[in-house]
Amino acid sequence: MKKSHFALLLTIPLLLASCSNAGNTKLSYSDVDTIKEIIKDRESQVSWTRALEGSRLDEDISADKEIYDKNIKLNHTIAKLNRAKQNSVFPEFPDFGSLDTRLLSFQTKEAVQKFCKSLSSDFYNQQTSFDSSYIFNLVFFRNDFIEGWNKNFSEDFPAKKTKDETEGKKEELFTYWLLGEPFIGEEITQVPVRFYCKQGIVDVTLYLNRNNLINQILIDRWEKL
């Protein structure tokens, strides 16, 4: 009987210890669950928005060694300027347009330059630059040009020959000219040209066929300087 009481006395502390450990373990799991619930609650209260520059991290902002040296700190803004410099930039006049002539073939550009030079050096001799079927448009252009010159520049159009020709010199009608951005069609190519002379500026548009011969010339604008 004494042995039974003694065994019972030993068993009771063990049971109490086991219950105590079980309680601690249950409390630990309960704490973890509570923390999870708090985190979920906090996440639900956060308002997420779409990134303003979502592709920013994917952009290549490696330094261009031709521009930057070790004393310049590369950042995203400078990288944008670096990429922008790689695109060609052409001058543009508000009343004329862009001077980008990359769309013109070498043959078309050469034909236009030939006509402009001939018009400047010998105003009355451009038949070879014109389509023979539209040669009458050349006559109309000459008459309109002479009339416009007298009206807009308030002076007579220069004669066919000048006194300098007797000395082996010939005065050019234009000091220089610029070709503008063309419009390329299936049958016709339009090329704007700006002529500069002592008196002012004349803007015209040339219409060339597939053989780079001129069908028509329109005078677009006069400006007296």
Side-chain angles (χ1 to χ4, degrees):
M1 186 68 179
K2 292 182 178 180
K3 290 183 179 179
S4 300
H5 284 293
F6 181 75
L8 180 60
L9 291 174
L10 291 177
T11 304
I12 291 174
L14 293 175
L15 291 173
L16 292 175
S18 299
C19 291
S20 177
N21 290 337
N24 291 338
T25 304
K26 183 177 181 180
L27 180 61
S28 178
Y29 284 127
S30 176
D31 290 341
V32 172
D33 292 339
T34 302
I35 293 173
K36 287 182 178 180
E37 291 298 326
I38 293 174
I39 293 174
K40 288 182 179 180
D41 183 60
R42 292 292 177 86
E43 287 181 346
S44 65
Q45 297 177 15
V46 177
S47 177
W48 298 97
T49 59
R50 181 176 296 178
L52 295 178
E53 296 184 45
S55 61
R56 183 167 181 173
L57 296 178
D58 298 329
E59 295 181 1
D60 180 14
I61 60 170
S62 55
D64 188 337
K65 294 182 180 179
E66 296 179 358
I67 301 179
Y68 312 116
D69 59 24
K70 60 183 180 180
N71 297 319
I72 298 179
K73 185 178 180 180
L74 182 67
N75 56 39
H76 190 260
T77 302
I78 294 180
K80 283 186 175 180
L81 296 175
N82 182 27
R83 291 192 297 273
K85 81 177 182 64
Q86 298 175 0
N87 299 325
S88 300
V89 178
F90 293 85
E92 182 173 343
F93 297 106
D95 51 2
F96 181 70
S98 172
L99 302 184
D100 183 3
T101 59
R102 291 175 296 177
L103 293 178
L104 283 178
S105 66
F106 173 80
Q107 292 78 8
T108 303
K109 188 178 294 186
E110 189 177 46
V112 173
Q113 290 288 0
K114 178 183 177 182
F115 168 78
C116 295
K117 185 176 181 179
S118 175
L119 193 68
S120 179
S121 60
D122 189 354
F123 182 79
Y124 298 93
N125 187 24
Q126 290 82 43
Q127 288 84 349
T128 57
S129 296
F130 250 80
D131 185 337
S132 59
S133 300
Y134 295 90
I135 196 67
F136 57 89
N137 283 332
L138 175 58
V139 178
F140 294 152
F141 165 73
R142 288 173 181 168
N143 294 337
D144 292 342
F145 195 90
I146 294 173
E147 182 181 349
W149 185 287
N150 298 336
K151 179 180 178 180
N152 292 279
F153 293 155
S154 302
E155 65 177 62
D156 293 335
F157 185 73
K160 182 177 180 180
K161 293 184 180 182
T162 66
K163 60 182 180 180
D164 291 335
E165 285 186 278
T166 58
E167 301 175 2
K169 298 179 181 179
K170 189 172 184 179
E171 184 178 358
E172 297 285 337
L173 185 62
F174 306 111
T175 53
Y176 64 96
W177 51 87
L178 298 173
L179 275 58
E181 184 176 15
F183 173 78
I184 311 296
E186 293 183 1
E187 300 292 335
I188 297 295
T189 297
Q190 300 178 29
V191 183
V193 182
R194 168 166 287 188
F195 292 98
Y196 290 85
C197 58
K198 297 177 181 178
Q199 295 77 7
I201 295 171
V202 188
D203 291 340
V204 306
T205 300
L206 307 182
Y207 295 80
L208 297 89
N209 60 23
R210 289 184 175 183
N211 297 320
N212 293 321
L213 293 174
I214 301 173
N215 287 352
Q216 176 67 290
I217 307 178
L218 295 181
I219 303 172
D220 302 317
R221 179 175 171 273
W222 296 84
E223 180 181 342
K224 184 178 180 179
L225 297 180

